[in-house]
Amino acid sequence: MYSGVIFDMDGLMFDTEKVWGACWEPTLARLGLPMKEGIADAARGTAGPEFAHVVREWFGEKADAQLIWDVWHEVAAECFEHGIEKKPGLDELLAYLDEQDVPMAVASSSTRRDIIHHLDMAEIRSYFTVVLSSLEVEHAKPAPDVFLEAAHRIDVEPSQALVLEDSYNGVRAGVAGGFCTVMVPDLAAPSEEMRRIAHRICSSLLEVRDLLRTGELG
């Protein structure tokens, strides 16, 4: 069994990535900007400077990335007030790890406010010793900073910790940090790169639980 498990949030714990994607069009409309096909995929899993870099690639160097970020989050917050849906197997995996006394952390590209909001709405915040946003570290995913800091805060070495991710950038970050990184795909199917670098690809969090139970994931 691993000494700690670090969870991504959007698309991994909750079925929120499609909501974030759908929020791009109204966000850009509010700002008088054109909707561009593919922006949701390009921005997925990014925050801070990495998000700004994506925005400027798509909308030009003069684009106000912070304003776009703020409005995007305002639009999404309105949607999330209607509730969020847990991904299959989340409750079962959390209960199993809790029974095994494995410390757990959330390390997400979302804001800390959004992370806490979602965990509280789902009534699962008590499972996590650490809650960390990529905005609280120097570099967001695909850099490993947020996972390394989360591991430090739950006092486990990266080589002894499991990172669970759904996005390409998240998997890259976990691997770069020296973690055993498992991809549980959401909107993006595993690419050849993901199949090459991920420790394993699982169909659901329930499969992760089952593999941990049998010792096949370790």
Side-chain angles (χ1 to χ4, degrees):
M1 177 57 68
Y2 293 94
S3 300
V5 178
I6 304 174
F7 289 72
D8 173 48
M9 186 180 74
D10 292 298
L12 187 281
M13 297 170 63
F14 303 115
D15 193 15
T16 50
E17 286 290 11
K18 62 186 179 184
V19 177
W20 283 109
C23 287
W24 270 105
E25 188 165 1
T27 295
L28 296 172
R30 288 188 188 185
L31 296 171
L33 294 170
M35 179 61 189
K36 295 192 176 183
E37 195 69 31
I39 182 63
D41 293 334
R44 186 176 300 123
T46 64
E50 290 74 15
F51 176 84
H53 175 72
V54 171
V55 166
R56 288 167 187 150
E57 276 194 330
W58 284 71
F59 296 98
E61 287 299 317
K62 294 184 179 181
D64 190 336
Q66 186 60 55
L67 179 59
I68 292 174
W69 172 273
D70 291 343
V71 175
W72 187 41
H73 279 71
E74 288 173 8
V75 173
E78 295 167 7
C79 296
F80 292 138
E81 285 305 320
H82 299 295
I84 52 174
E85 184 178 346
K86 297 177 187 178
K87 297 291 279 188
L90 176 62
D91 286 332
E92 292 86 349
L93 176 57
L94 292 175
Y96 174 72
L97 293 173
D98 188 56
E99 289 169 3
Q100 304 301 312
D101 293 319
V102 177
M104 291 174 269
V106 178
S108 168
S109 295
S110 285
T111 65
R112 182 175 185 83
R113 182 184 65 181
D114 286 344
I115 299 169
I116 296 299
H117 173 270
H118 290 4
L119 297 180
D120 283 345
M121 282 195 72
E123 299 181 343
I124 58 173
R125 185 177 174 184
S126 61
Y127 283 109
F128 298 98
T129 307
V130 168
V131 172
L132 189 64
S133 166
S134 291
L135 297 172
E136 299 175 64
V137 296
E138 186 173 1
H139 300 292
K141 305 170 188 178
D145 299 31
V146 70
F147 290 139
L148 292 172
E149 181 61 23
H152 172 71
R153 293 190 188 186
I154 60 174
D155 195 27
V156 298
E157 292 297 320
S159 61
Q160 299 301 311
L162 174 65
V163 162
L164 299 174
E165 265 286 359
D166 69 290
S167 74
Y168 294 174
N169 279 338
V171 172
R172 291 171 185 138
V175 172
F179 297 87
C180 175
T181 305
V182 170
M183 183 181 191
V184 184
D186 181 38
L187 297 184
S191 63
E192 287 303 314
E193 177 196 5
M194 295 298 105
R195 295 186 183 281
R196 184 177 71 253
I197 68 174
H199 182 79
R200 190 152 186 156
I201 296 174
C202 292
S203 60
S204 69
L205 294 175
L206 194 60
E207 182 182 357
V208 174
R209 192 279 309 266
D210 292 343
L211 291 174
L212 287 172
R213 266 183 170 175
T214 59
E216 296 176 67
L217 183 57

